[in-house]
Amino acid sequence: MAAETGTPTTLTLKSNDDELFSVAESAAILSVTIRNMVEDGCAGGVIPLDNVDGKTLASVITYMNGISAIPADEEKKKSYRDKFLSDKDFETLADMVLAANYLNMSCLMDAVSAKIAQVMEKKSVGWVRRKFGIENDYTPEEEAAVKEEHKWTFEGVETDDDN
Amino acid sequence: MDRISELPEDILQRILYFLPQSAAVRTSVLSKSWRHIWCTRSNLSFSQLNSKVNEQEFLTVVDKTLRRYCDQRLCIDEILLCMFSCHELVSLLDKWIPLLATIGVKEFCLFILSKDHFGSAKLHFGQSSPENIPFVRLRVLRLSDVLIKNEISDKILSSCPLLTTVCFHECQGLKTLKFDKKLHKYLTQFAFVKHTAHTVEECSIEIDAPALEIIDVYGSKIRFHGHNSNLKSLSLLNVEICSNSLAAEQSQILHIDAPNITSFEYLGVVIPSISFAPTSGRSNLELYMRDDDVDDAQSWLLRLSKLLHALRKSEIHLDIAQLSRNYVHIQEDIIINGGNNEPVVVEHLQFSIGNLYSFPSVLNGLFCICRPRNITPSWFSHESNSNKETELKKLGQFFRNIEKMRESGNQEIWRDLKDLTLEGFDESRQQWQVLQVTRLSESPLPDFDRFRVRLQWSDRIQDCDSTSRILES
């Protein structure tokens, strides 16, 4: 491993659409999945990541490099995460959260989850459906019944005009 | 199906984790696949703050939800409950808290808000909240702004042997706190902070907990017993240190066996004498020089010299406030020869000056016992119209004063000084820049807000300092 040879070790990661990426081991082991592979000695060749596509992996590697360059300072790490996610659309966020889950990267997983939650929090049901393309498969009677059951959660929420 | 509804349930649960209860429950209306996702999330977050829901309904929802989790044997890791004080509160919490223990909650955060707008009333622990905390396995207890009777705190502390962290922040009613080595084997962090304490005698703390790593105390009386070999960080601010020895009342003697300490912070009017010597890390000292110290500045400086010597292997940051209006007379010879201690390197000296006429002599006294690498002077300004121009003028005066001392002062001290510069902090470049002292009175005035006087001492001082550091490590 890196500590023994004195030179930084680089890992090669392969996405499910056969793109290859090199990344410093020190940054890549933010992923517990990759760290376990390195510790088991599987890191010699190419590490295949069957559940992540090239576009998402490129983005995750940007994050790995960015966050590992910041010394132990939670404030700075948080502001890096906020900035990193600020221009991502929902499709990208969904890809990222799946990749973070597969790679077992809790800090990225939480940052993306919190970002999606933040989008939903103050919004009406109709707005959230439109934003995420969720199809309403309730009948009007069923929907009214669910709403009635949890009436208290609708106090002070913006109203739906087109529902 | 759409992207978000397709996500695996554990990811959706994680997204809901970041929502308050009402928003999480509302997702059940999105579509049939969302109907029940919120029901099993592993955290609950109820807040009456900014909530439009009426009180009775809020309490009913909390009660129903907790019972459902309990009945269905679901797990909750974290619960946040933020509510206004009401007459039913105690009886409700008395019902709910045992439920939490049944559900296996790992973290319970309870905020009780006062309905009165001034918010000055403290929560009366045991009166507006249940006094019985049935958590035998409680590890972390933090109480802020509560009024708590000693019987209750004693009861909690003695019935929770697994406590690792105990913090009392601005709590009233505590007279004594005792940590015992048999009972509190796992206690690693303790904080007691009371900025409003009028006298340090309000609470008396006795510590005999060998696992303690961090101690933070502001405003109380404190006494240490036994070994503290795990102690890494000790912060004593406005604290009266009690000692078992019959030493003079005036000098605080801190007898504490803490060989692994790396951070020591002290603020007070009396210079303590310490029995431990950190071998690395950082020491922050904030000390006042008052009128009664001025009468005996000699022994004040010798006590400080002894303290600095004990801390010399850590990076020392010294903040001296000279509060006295009287002239301070110091005989350098006695300090230089009477201390028997080599001058100690001080990384940063913050020097707050109350009396412009006596500061050169106090500063000279400090130079007898330490070698500051940086000095930042500040003035307690009595004039309300002090502006940047006068501040810079005083700074220039301060710098020239050190130059004068260097030329005509005691060579025992000044032969070691290699370089003396004035520097200003450039915010845009985030670095210090050397400044000519004449620039302080020229217009345009230098565009810096922070200044320091930088002193470079000869290798003799640096060397003996760094060799001792190497030897120790």
Side-chain angles (χ1 to χ4, degrees), chain A residues 95 110 121 129 137-138 153, chain B residues 3 14 26 28-29 32:
Chain A
D95 289 332
D110 281 354
E121 183 176 341
R129 278 190 195 128
D137 52 3
Y138 284 120
T153 69
Chain B
R3 278 308 297 282
R14 200 63 197 162
R26 217 158 50 228
S28 62
V29 187
K32 284 180 181 165

